[in-house]
Amino acid sequence: MVRSPLLAVNEGYVGYGWSKVDFSQYQDTEALFEAFKQHYPNGIGRQKNNIRRFFNLKEGDIVIVPSSKSVSIGVVKGEKAFKPEWAKDDACNLVQVEFYKVGGRILKIGRDQLKQQLGSRLKLRSAIADLNEFESEISRVIDSIQKTGEAYRHSSYFSEQIELAEQKFRKELHQSICKGTTWLKP
């Protein structure tokens, strides 16, 4: 999860602050943190893990960007950029992301369409958080978006699962009838 201003999201990025350090100029976290020591002599507080997570976003990673009542999901393309003019929005350090879209617009998934545990985790105040424990739910949402090409609906997932179970039952029943391995009356 990366809390990012909509300005960056609408341009195909996730953004993070720290305007005195251009993340795109560094290859590893050790060099990056040396630059932080130079530019922020008072330290960075408890932000080291957040900075590390943001800096280490790599191509293929899934990113969830929460907004007030919805989330956007995208796949990291990996290219880092720096736009100092976005410093006032805390989004000057950028990582390119391809967000899922419907009709050319970034898809917004209502928080009420997510399972309660994931929805609660999105309330974290942290700017960047690891959501690996919700990998199966996030994968299910992405699969639904890719299959249907439209907004994910929690209720449509259950309908889909019921339909798959019915199809499986019919197939197994048909096979049992053909083999004569049922206890059904003739």
Side-chain angles (χ1 to χ4, degrees), residues 28-93:
D28 57 48
T29 53
E30 287 79 27
L32 179 70
F33 286 126
E34 285 302 317
F36 270 96
K37 286 179 185 175
Q38 293 174 2
H39 294 288
Y40 293 94
N42 293 334
I44 55 176
R46 297 181 183 180
Q47 298 299 315
K48 195 169 188 174
N49 284 335
N50 284 344
I51 293 167
R52 182 177 286 117
R53 281 188 197 112
F54 186 83
F55 182 80
N56 289 326
L57 286 173
K58 62 187 180 308
E59 187 173 351
D61 286 349
I62 303 296
V63 173
I64 294 181
V65 179
S67 51
S68 61
K69 293 185 180 184
S70 63
V71 297
S72 300
I73 299 177
V75 179
V76 174
K77 291 299 168 194
E79 185 178 323
K80 288 181 173 62
F82 184 73
K83 291 194 177 187
E85 62 271 18
W86 289 0
K88 67 182 179 312
D89 296 306
D90 288 328
C92 52
N93 283 292

Side-chain angles (χ1 to χ4, degrees), residues 60 62 73-75 77 98-102 107 109 138-153 156 160:
I62 303 296
I73 299 177
V75 179
K77 291 299 168 194
E98 184 176 323
F99 288 98
Y100 289 99
K101 296 181 177 184
V102 173
L107 177 63
I109 300 165
I138 295 167
S139 294
R140 184 172 38 248
V141 171
I142 291 170
D143 289 344
S144 176
I145 293 167
Q146 290 173 337
K147 281 182 190 174
T148 63
E150 58 187 45
Y152 171 78
R153 301 254 184 264
S156 68
E160 183 180 310

Side-chain angles (χ1 to χ4, degrees), residues 147-166:
K147 281 182 190 174
T148 63
E150 58 187 45
Y152 171 78
R153 301 254 184 264
H154 194 62
S155 58
S156 68
Y157 168 74
F158 286 118
S159 299
E160 183 180 310
Q161 292 303 306
I162 290 169
E163 184 178 332
L164 290 173
E166 286 176 357

